[in-house]
Amino acid sequence: MAGREKEIGRLMRDIVNPERNRRYSIMMGKVVAGSVDENAGTCKVVLSSDDEVAPTENVAINAVLENANGFILYPADGSDVWVADLEGKEIYGIIKCSNISKATLLFNAAGGGDRIMLMTSNFFEARIRNYYLHIEDGNVLLKSGGSNLTGTDHLFKFNDGSYGGVPKAGELASKYNAIETRINNMITTLTAGIASGAYVGAPGGAALAAAILAQLGAAITPTTQVMIENADVKHGPHIA
């Protein structure tokens, strides 16, 4: 019954607007605002031979209806399009559009889409099984299984970042070198004193005592995390 009602409606539109009968293999048109149905993969288009109040409905966005596989361009509201009449059976599909609101690339849609790509003007997402890349408004998220990397304008963070900033190799080396130098100086002073036969309280021991006190008197600057970490790159444990 629905098919007959549709045919009656089409005939009535043809009577009101005879120009609808002037159909061609490829026609120009404009996408009706708010008519894009991403789930159905269709939209409404005012074709060059249509009356604006009676646009052509169910114009396919994808090559095959109810199949999200492949590379799909979603036309933006009001975009100019080329529409093909498939085999002259009034089955219409968009083959070109002037503006798009989104683009997707999907494989194995029936199985949940184990390979997918999605793009808009400020958004990009790509996924292959457990590998995931998400970019939005300048922020980046990269996931590989239980590990992830987050990037913003001022920070790169591995996993949850709870381990703090990645060590600064130069600052860390300087700290280690300062400790090593102090220890080596102490060893040199004590070795020289022992080799000379001097010890504290014995003849010549005063000079040895003074040398030891000189080494012990210079305090080592306490190390803080801020001194040796790069706060712009943080890391944390692997998420199981």
Side-chain angles (χ1 to χ4, degrees):
M1 189 67 180
R4 294 183 62 186
E5 291 176 351
K6 182 177 180 180
E7 179 65 16
I8 292 172
R10 185 186 67 79
L11 292 173
M12 291 180 65
R13 289 195 298 271
D14 289 343
I15 293 172
V16 174
N17 183 14
E19 289 296 314
R20 287 181 61 90
N21 291 322
R22 298 180 62 184
R23 300 283 183 160
Y24 304 94
S25 297
I26 298 178
M27 295 160 283
M28 294 185 294
K30 188 177 288 292
V31 176
V32 176
S35 70
V36 176
D37 186 337
E38 294 185 10
N39 293 325
T42 62
C43 66
K44 297 178 182 179
V45 177
V46 178
L47 297 173
S48 54
S49 56
D50 280 338
D51 188 316
E52 289 191 3
V53 298
T56 298
E57 300 184 4
N58 299 318
V59 178
I61 296 172
N62 193 16
V64 181
L65 290 176
E66 299 179 359
N67 185 348
N69 282 321
F71 186 52
I72 306 175
L73 301 177
Y74 294 85
D77 289 347
S79 60
D80 296 315
V81 293
W82 290 1
V83 177
D85 182 356
L86 308 179
E87 298 185 351
K89 297 180 180 179
E90 294 192 346
I91 301 174
Y92 303 106
I94 293 175
I95 57 175
K96 289 278 189 177
C97 57
S98 61
N99 296 295
I100 63 173
S101 61
K102 184 171 73 172
T104 62
L105 177 62
L106 180 65
F107 301 91
N108 188 28
D114 58 358
R115 295 176 177 85
I116 185 171
M117 182 180 73
L118 172 64
M119 292 182 291
T120 66
S121 59
N122 65 339
F123 177 92
F124 176 85
E125 181 176 299
R127 177 168 56 85
I128 301 177
R129 296 184 178 88
N130 293 329
Y131 303 95
Y132 178 87
L133 172 63
H134 180 101
I135 303 173
E136 185 172 10
D137 295 328
N139 298 324
V140 179
L141 172 62
L142 177 62
K143 298 190 71 174
S144 175
S147 300
N148 64 73
L149 169 65
T150 305
T152 64
D153 286 343
H154 305 292
L155 174 67
F156 271 105
K157 183 173 70 175
F158 294 91
N159 298 328
D160 64 359
S162 61
Y163 290 165
V166 174
K168 301 177 184 177
E171 296 290 340
L172 203 55
S174 296
K175 287 292 183 178
Y176 283 148
N177 288 340
I179 295 172
E180 291 164 348
T181 299
R182 288 292 301 279
I183 293 173
N184 287 335
N185 288 342
M186 286 291 296
I187 292 171
T188 300
T189 300
L190 291 171
T191 301
I194 294 171
S196 68
Y199 55 92
V200 177
L208 176 59
I212 293 173
L213 290 174
Q215 292 295 330
L216 297 175
I220 297 176
T221 302
T223 300
T224 63
Q225 182 172 329
V226 175
M227 294 178 180
I228 61 172
E229 79 167 350
N230 179 1
D232 294 335
V233 183
K234 295 185 177 181
H235 61 144
H238 172 82
I239 301 173

